Amino acid sequence: MNIKRLEIKKIIEKAEDKNLSFRVFDLNKEHIENYLQPRKNDHFFIIIVETGKVDMQIEDKIHFLKTGKISIVFPDQVCCITNFSDDLTGKIILFEEVLFCSDILKNELSPYNVNLSANLNCTALANPEFEQALTLVENIQNIYNKPSLVKKEQARFYIKVFLLGLIESIHGQHPVLHQKTNQHIYIGFKKLLNEQYRSERTVQYYASKLSITPKKLNEITKKHCGETAINAIHNRILTEIKRQLLFSDLSHKEIAFDLGFSSPSALNKFVRAKLKETPTELQQELAQIYTA
């Protein structure tokens, strides 16, 4: 089966959506239409269930969601909704990972709770915590409905608070083991990648540093983040390119050399291969989304 990839920039419900990096919808038949067939997303996809039931398949597991449950699907995880009740209500949140710095989920907090991308696929909250989460989501939805530049920054803050609350809720349910497991090798890889991605771009380098074979490293990264080791390396570089284009005053030449490219044309070639657009086009697109 050819798995389609859903891009958040193509999900447009109102004019302002072209300049927003997040969406908040009511959980109903209309808004889950996109997820009834298996697909990957280029964004985070969150379902919060207030009433009713919905079955969410993520990779090879089916999660049975009901009142008080929340499911987070990470970018590029294969997912689809397989069943839902007529009385289903709740919220859907979509957001891009660049602005909201999802490294806090993928990297920095990995030692705190291993394999977050799997553990957050289905979370059950006690009623007080669930009500607090709903309040945050309602705040985000209010901003989504009437956005402004300042309010978009507030939404970014609310989403981080929401995610950190979920991470706190599952801490202890999946304790970190002390022996060197595949999970710990994956954590070591992400930590090393964050330190060395500017200068080291080969799977062989990271595998040798972790004392494993490139084949083993690929197996581990596929299991824990759904991508090959080389894609993880390239995506880390691409994330930094986007951040520098968006937040720094560096020229494209300065960004190219800062990130270890041999020339601006090498940077151009990399971005075009990954996104089918030039760094200039990418910068204009990011500026419209985040600063308009």
Side-chain angles (χ1 to χ4, degrees):
M1 176 186 289
N2 183 26
I3 303 296
K4 293 184 178 180
R5 197 163 189 263
L6 183 63
E7 299 179 9
I8 193 171
K9 67 181 180 181
K10 293 182 179 178
I11 303 174
I12 304 295
E13 295 219 343
K14 52 186 174 61
E16 294 95 334
D17 288 352
K18 294 180 180 179
N19 296 323
L20 288 176
S21 58
F22 67 99
R23 315 275 189 269
V24 186
F25 306 131
D26 290 331
L27 180 58
N28 54 35
K29 292 181 180 180
E30 176 188 355
H31 291 123
I32 63 177
E33 187 70 29
N34 284 330
Y35 303 96
L36 297 179
Q37 297 295 325
R39 65 179 61 234
K40 293 182 179 181
N41 305 311
D42 73 343
H43 52 275
F44 283 86
F45 167 47
I46 304 175
I47 281 183
I48 302 107
V49 179
E50 294 185 65
T51 64
K53 298 178 180 180
V54 60
D55 299 343
M56 171 73 75
Q57 179 164 350
I58 304 173
E59 302 294 347
D60 59 344
K61 294 183 179 180
I62 296 180
H63 302 278
F64 303 99
L65 309 179
K66 58 183 181 180
T67 301
K69 285 195 172 184
I70 297 171
S71 176
I72 298 181
V73 183
F74 278 57
D76 288 319
Q77 286 188 320
V78 178
C79 70
C80 72
I81 290 171
T82 58
N83 188 35
F84 59 92
S85 63
D86 291 336
D87 61 340
L88 180 66
T89 65
K91 302 294 181 184
I92 291 175
I93 303 177
L94 314 177
F95 68 91
E96 290 185 352
E97 55 182 330
V98 173
L99 183 65
F100 293 98
C101 302
S102 67
D103 285 348
I104 195 171
L105 298 177
K106 289 185 175 179
N107 304 320
E108 283 86 340
L109 288 177
S110 289
Y112 184 74
N113 200 307
V114 295
N115 201 13
L116 284 171
S117 61
N119 295 335
L120 288 173
N121 285 164
C122 183
T123 304
L125 295 183
N127 190 61
E129 288 77 16
F130 187 70
E131 291 300 323
Q132 290 174 5
L134 278 180
T135 298
L136 282 171
V137 174
E138 288 169 0
N139 288 335
I140 299 165
Q141 188 170 26
N142 288 337
I143 293 172
Y144 169 70
N145 290 334
K146 293 184 178 181
S148 68
L149 187 58
V150 172
K151 286 183 177 179
K152 283 194 286 187
E153 283 300 307
Q154 290 178 327
R156 177 181 178 181
F157 171 78
Y158 287 142
I159 289 177
K160 283 188 176 181
V161 172
F162 173 81
L163 294 173
L164 290 170
L166 290 181
I167 293 169
E168 178 65 27
S169 74
I170 65 172
H171 182 53
Q173 297 177 22
H174 309 278
V176 175
L177 305 176
H178 294 289
Q179 64 269 31
K180 190 175 182 181
T181 64
N182 286 347
Q183 293 170 331
H184 286 77
I185 293 173
Y186 173 69
I187 292 167
F189 167 62
K190 298 298 283 190
K191 184 175 185 295
L192 193 61
L193 178 58
N194 274 336
E195 295 168 352
Q196 302 293 336
Y197 70 91
R198 280 180 165 84
S199 57
E200 302 296 340
R201 311 238 170 127
T202 67
V203 177
Q204 179 63 49
Y205 170 82
Y206 293 100
S208 64
K209 285 292 185 180
L210 297 167
S211 301
I212 58 175
T213 65
K215 181 180 178 181
K216 181 65 175 178
L217 180 56
N218 269 318
E219 291 174 356
I220 291 171
T221 58
K222 283 181 180 179
K223 177 181 177 182
H224 290 284
C225 65
E227 61 185 0
T228 63
I230 192 64
N231 279 340
I233 294 167
H234 287 171
N235 285 335
R236 181 63 186 90
I237 298 165
L238 191 58
T239 295
E240 192 61 30
I241 290 171
K242 289 180 178 179
R243 287 180 185 165
Q244 293 208 21
L245 288 173
L246 180 61
F247 296 117
S248 80
D249 294 324
L250 298 177
S251 68
H252 293 180
K253 180 179 180 180
E254 289 171 324
I255 292 173
F257 291 132
D258 178 63
L259 297 182
F261 290 93
S262 59
S263 65
S265 63
L267 172 68
N268 190 306
K269 183 177 179 181
F270 178 80
V271 173
R272 185 177 288 278
K274 290 295 176 181
L275 300 177
K276 295 181 173 57
E277 58 186 342
T278 67
T280 298
E281 291 168 339
L282 175 60
Q283 189 170 33
Q284 291 171 347
E285 181 182 315
L286 291 170
Q288 282 188 329
I289 292 173
Y290 298 122
T291 62

